[in-house]
Amino acid sequence: MSDAHLDSAVLATLRVVMEDEYPVLLDTFLKDSEERVRLLHQACAVSDAYLLRQTAHSFKGSCSNMGAPLLTELCRELEDSARREQLDGANELIGQIEREFAIVRILMRAERQRFGASG
């Protein structure tokens, strides 16, 4: 696993803390993240800086908690831009977030397979 996309030390800690619920945590993160990506696109489409900032902030926190450092950083950049109401590059940044999330999703699904196929 690439620590650039997913920090294996964070995941190891989550496995210990969550025990049997670890696969559920991964599933929940993936489901919630897909919704957040959808909301980012929606907020950008209507130039809603507040919704963009709130969604990016929320997504940043969950990415940080789940050990996704590049995704965390991209969300921080989007949150900062939206806070300044500078939305010119928001669509491009959301595209970067979406691409990084696609990588994280693949890695997390592989992690999910290793640590509990039932759920």
Side-chain angles (χ1 to χ4, degrees):
M1 177 180 317
S2 169
D3 279 0
H5 300 288
L6 274 182
D7 186 328
S8 57
V10 171
L11 292 179
T13 300
L14 289 172
R15 277 193 301 276
V16 169
V17 170
M18 297 301 295
E19 297 178 342
D20 291 345
E21 294 299 308
Y22 179 65
V24 175
L25 177 67
L26 296 175
D27 290 342
T28 301
F29 172 76
L30 292 174
K31 182 176 178 254
D32 289 351
S33 296
E34 288 167 2
E35 176 63 11
R36 287 184 175 120
V37 169
R38 188 190 66 73
L39 284 172
L40 290 175
H41 281 291
Q42 180 182 329
C44 188
V46 296
S47 298
D48 186 335
Y50 178 78
L51 179 59
L52 203 54
R53 180 173 57 86
Q54 292 298 104
T55 304
H57 176 79
S58 174
F59 198 10
K60 177 188 74 177
S62 63
C63 292
S64 177
N65 291 339
M66 294 301 292
L70 291 177
L71 201 48
T72 301
E73 178 57 24
L74 290 168
C75 289
R76 185 199 60 73
E77 289 177 33
L78 183 60
E79 178 186 12
D80 290 348
S81 292
R83 179 178 293 111
R84 294 187 311 271
E85 296 190 10
Q86 296 175 341
L87 303 184
D88 290 347
N91 203 38
E92 181 181 327
L93 203 45
I94 292 168
Q96 291 175 7
I97 288 169
E98 198 164 30
R99 287 186 293 279
E100 179 60 20
F101 175 60
I103 295 167
V104 167
R105 179 173 37 221
I106 289 166
L107 294 171
M108 282 205 172
R109 284 181 177 162
E111 178 81 355
R112 174 71 169 83
Q113 287 299 312
R114 280 194 300 280
F115 295 96
S118 64

